Every structure is written in C-alpha cells, then in structure tokens.
Amino acid sequence: MSTNSSSMLLLNESVLLVAVLAFAILQNKHLRQSSFWRATATPLASIIGSGFLIIAPLMAEVAGELAPLAMASILLVAYGIGAVIRFNINYCERHAGSYQPLIVRRLEHASGITLSIAYVISIAFYLRLMSAFLFSAFEDTAPFMEASFTTIVLAAIGGLGWRYGLTALERMETLAVSVKLAIIVALLAGLLHHNLVEGFSFVGVRAAHLSFLDQLRMLAGMLLVVQGFETSRYLASEYSADKRIASMKLAQRLSAVIYLFFIILVLPLIHHLEQGNPDETAIIDLSAFAAPVLPALLALAAIMSQFSAAVADTVGAGGLLEQESDQRLSSRTAYLGIVGSAIILIWVTDIFAIIAFASRAFALYYLLQTLLGIWVICQGGIASIKEGLRLMCFVTMAGILTFAVLFALPAG
C-alpha cells in the first residue's frame, strides 16, 4: 500500500472515530435522559436544519472573504430575535389566564396563524427534500414515488405523535440530532486537519457581482436559515418557562459556534466550486477534499437534518395549536392535523415553489412578536438603562425584520 493510500486510510479512520466518539457522548444515558437536553434538541434540530450545508456557498457568493463576518452578523441578529421570543415567554406566561389587552391578543393570534402556516409548509418541504435526496441515486425516479415516500414518513410521524405524544417525537428527534451533530463534529475535524496540512487561506474566494442592496436582500433571506429557536416557546406543556428560555439560549449558542466555525473552516475550499446556484450536494462533494469518507457521512447528515427539522417543527406546531386553542385541542390531536395538511400540500402543490412563502411567513411571525415585545416594554415604562437598551434592540430587530418581510431573497 502506498504512503498516500495509507495516510488516506488513517484520515478516514480518524474522522470516523471522531464521529463515533461524538455520537457516543451524545447518546450517553445521563444526557439522553436529561429533560434539559431534550428541551434543547427541538430548537437545535430546527436551527441546524436543511440550510446548514447550503449556507457556506451562499455566504461565499454574497460576501466573499467577509463571509465569516456576514455569518456572525446574521447569528447576532438571530440571537437578538431569540431574546425577543424569550422576553415574550416571560410576559405571556406571567399573564396567562389574566386579562390581556386586545392588542396583545391580536398580535399573538396573528403571529400564531402566520407561524402555523409556515410550519406546515416547512414540514412538507423538509421531508419532500429528504425524499428527493434519498431517491436521487436512482435514475428517472418518478415524483410519485418521492411523494408517496414523503407521505409514509409524515403519516408515521403523525401516528407516533398521536399515539405516544411529545415523548416519542422527542426520542426520534434527539437520535437524529445526535447523528447529525456527531457527523458535523467529524466534518469540522476533517476540515481543520485539511487547513492545518494545506495551509489556511481565503485566496480564490470571491463574491459574485451584486449590488449592495442585493447583498442585503440575500443576507436577510439567509437570516431564515438559522430560524427554529421559536419552537421552544410552544413546549409549555412539558417544560417550565425557565427551562425553555435556558435551553433556547443553549441551542442558539451551540448552533452559532457550529455555523461560524463551519464557515471559517470550509471557506478555503470554496474556490473548488463553480459560482452560480450551488445546491445541497455541493458541500457534500467538496468535503471529499478534506477526507474521502466525509461525502458519505454528510449524505447521512443531510437526511438527518431534513428529518429532525421536520419533527422539531411538528413538535413546535403541535404546541402552538394547543396554545392557540386554549388547550381545547391537545398537541396529540394537533399532530394529526399538521401532518394531514402537509400531506395535502405534498400532493396538490409544488412544495419547492411555495417555500419562499414560508420564509416570509417566518419573518412576519418574528416581526409580530417583536412588535408585541416593544408594546409590552412601552406599557411598562422605561424605568432603567437596561429597559432602554432592550427597547432599542427590539426596535432595531423590528426594522431588520420589516426589511426581510418586504425585500428578502430566500436563501438557496
């Protein structure tokens, strides 16, 4: 065996070992049984969802060598929006069951309707994309087969949720998240090794010729890639407000570290890709430069990403509908309605064509939640510097989200 072949084999074995060790840690009994980790897994599954593998080529195309800075800016804005959601968890649950002003109820109701529509579209999209990815290895695969497989998966998720409740869905979700995170750790390790050996350089990374306005519009669209933290708000039937707030913070911080390190480590390889319209398989193919075993692992991670994000959004949507109905509709029953609606979308619409609507719906939901937070702060009065800074932050978020609703170009 040649020296080069031996080193490739050793590299593959090392990357696989990293993945196995990371998975073993994530499947540790104490972690698996931790309610705090389960509460973290739902938002984490959504945040690191279908957009994870496509974000690097898009960032490189929009920002070039400044992609890490652009990614950090998006993550900072997302964390600010998360702060809005966490503030509203405290306010809305503190006043639950008591009289709330009409404007609060209307903003809550409008944002609930908006988010529920976005969730249904997203769930259908994630699983339809997963099916397309699974069947892509077969030539001339009929859309009927992909739609049929998606329907079966949706029915299974709805059935398990209806029969066994949130716990069963969380178990599936946590396992999928563990597989995905283990592979991501292995990917980062492989990319780090490649950069240490080959030299870390952004030479050849060039942004596309875009106007500044188009750059902002695309970055606003990419904000929705790191969406998903709001699912924590709708797990009230299982977790306390304090636990959901803390677990949402952890999910956002973990995902921010992963996204930022991924962008930094993969950027030196981006010049191997052709500029244009990269799809999810672009990074999968690119990862072979870091380690030959990575494309197979990332293909599995892509499937787990779609599945776990779909389950997470199903969980969030179920909790949302339970809350909107004042507990008259249980989350178990809601799961059936959610997957039923997603199945209808799969068969009667081009789900890939209407996903842009879901992106704007998520942005509108965040905007409505931000307006609610601003109203609450103003009603309580600005009694401290902290409250004043919070109001400034919320107003800034509202401005960014208004721009996203009106002008964002959907990522990918």
Side-chain angles (χ1 to χ4, degrees):
M1 184 180 291
S2 67
T3 303
N4 187 55
S5 297
S6 297
S7 62
M8 284 295 102
L9 180 61
L10 180 60
L11 178 59
N12 280 341
E13 290 175 346
S14 299
V15 168
L16 283 170
L17 180 60
V18 170
V20 170
L21 288 176
F23 181 74
I25 292 171
L26 291 168
Q27 285 296 292
N28 175 274
K29 180 180 178 182
H30 296 294
L31 191 60
R32 266 196 351 262
Q33 294 179 350
S34 165
S35 62
F36 183 76
W37 175 244
R38 291 197 303 273
T40 304
T42 295
L44 192 59
S46 279
I47 299 170
I48 307 179
S50 63
F52 176 75
L53 295 180
I54 194 66
I55 191 69
L58 286 173
M59 275 293 178
E61 188 169 336
V62 174
E65 295 180 1
L66 296 178
L69 180 60
M71 187 75 246
S73 300
I74 285 176
L75 292 168
L76 184 61
V77 171
Y79 197 78
I81 298 170
V84 172
I85 303 298
R86 291 188 287 274
F87 177 82
N88 288 346
I89 288 176
N90 261 331
Y91 171 79
C92 292
E93 295 191 9
R94 185 169 66 247
H95 294 276
S98 62
Y99 172 76
Q100 289 184 333
L102 181 61
I103 188 173
V104 172
R105 285 181 279 135
R106 284 184 172 174
L107 284 172
E108 279 283 84
H109 186 60
S111 61
I113 292 174
T114 303
L115 186 59
S116 61
I117 293 171
Y119 272 148
V120 171
I121 297 174
S122 293
I123 292 163
F125 172 75
Y126 290 144
L127 294 180
R128 186 67 172 78
L129 191 60
M130 183 188 77
S131 298
F133 191 85
L134 281 170
F135 284 95
S136 64
F138 303 96
E139 294 184 5
D140 301 322
T141 301
F144 175 81
M145 293 297 296
E146 294 178 3
S148 298
F149 182 76
T150 305
T151 300
I152 292 170
V153 175
L154 280 166
I157 291 173
L160 284 171
W162 175 73
R163 179 66 179 84
Y164 299 105
L166 177 62
T167 302
L169 294 182
E170 282 187 329
R171 284 175 181 168
M172 290 194 301
E173 176 186 77
T174 303
L175 178 61
V177 167
S178 296
V179 172
K180 177 171 62 178
L181 289 180
I183 293 173
I184 287 174
V185 171
L187 169 64
L188 296 179
L191 290 171
L192 177 61
H193 173 268
H194 178 272
N195 288 324
L196 291 174
V197 172
E198 300 296 329
F200 187 83
S201 173
F202 289 170
V203 173
V205 180
R206 295 288 183 269
H209 296 292
L210 300 167
S211 68
F212 182 65
L213 178 59
D214 283 343
Q215 286 179 314
L216 289 180
R217 293 179 67 195
M218 291 186 72
L219 288 175
M222 281 185 267
L223 172 63
L224 278 303
V225 169
V226 294
Q227 149 289 312
F229 43 86
E230 79 289 334
T231 52
S232 294
R233 182 167 181 193
Y234 304 106
L235 303 177
S237 62
E238 291 290 327
Y239 306 109
S240 67
D242 288 342
K243 183 170 288 186
R244 283 178 288 125
I245 288 170
S247 61
M248 189 203 295
K249 282 183 180 178
L250 177 60
Q252 284 199 281
R253 290 170 181 174
L254 278 176
S255 60
V257 170
I258 289 171
Y259 271 109
L260 201 52
F261 272 94
F262 175 56
I263 293 291
I264 292 171
L265 292 174
V266 82
L267 211 57
L269 284 81
I270 288 292
H271 67 276
H272 292 290
L273 296 179
E274 293 183 11
Q275 280 193 332
N277 187 28
D279 60 18
E280 196 170 63
T281 62
I283 288 295
I284 292 176
D285 296 335
L286 192 65
S287 67
F289 287 95
V293 74
L294 278 173
L297 290 178
L298 282 186
L300 177 60
I303 293 168
M304 291 296 103
S305 291
Q306 314 301 338
F307 181 76
S308 61
V311 174
D313 281 3
T314 302
V315 168
L320 168 62
L321 292 178
E322 184 177 55
Q323 176 180 297
E324 283 295 304
S325 67
D326 291 327
Q327 283 70 52
R328 289 189 294 271
L329 177 69
S330 71
S331 58
R332 291 191 180 201
T333 304
Y335 296 145
L336 294 179
I338 293 159
V339 299
S341 300
I343 288 171
I344 292 172
L345 280 181
I346 290 295
W347 288 101
V348 304
T349 67
D350 179 356
I351 196 65
F352 295 98
I354 66 171
I355 189 61
F357 178 80
S359 295
R360 291 187 184 276
F362 277 117
L364 179 59
Y365 164 78
Y366 290 140
L367 175 59
L368 291 170
Q369 286 291 304
T370 303
L371 293 176
L372 172 59
I374 290 171
W375 186 89
V376 171
I377 292 174
C378 290
Q379 288 300 112
I382 313 301
S384 65
I385 294 177
K386 181 180 179 181
E387 288 298 313
L389 290 174
R390 177 179 283 149
L391 179 60
M392 288 175 59
C393 174
F394 284 18
V395 170
T396 301
M397 293 302 108
I400 293 171
L401 289 166
T402 300
F403 179 83
V405 170
L406 297 175
F407 304 112
L409 295 174

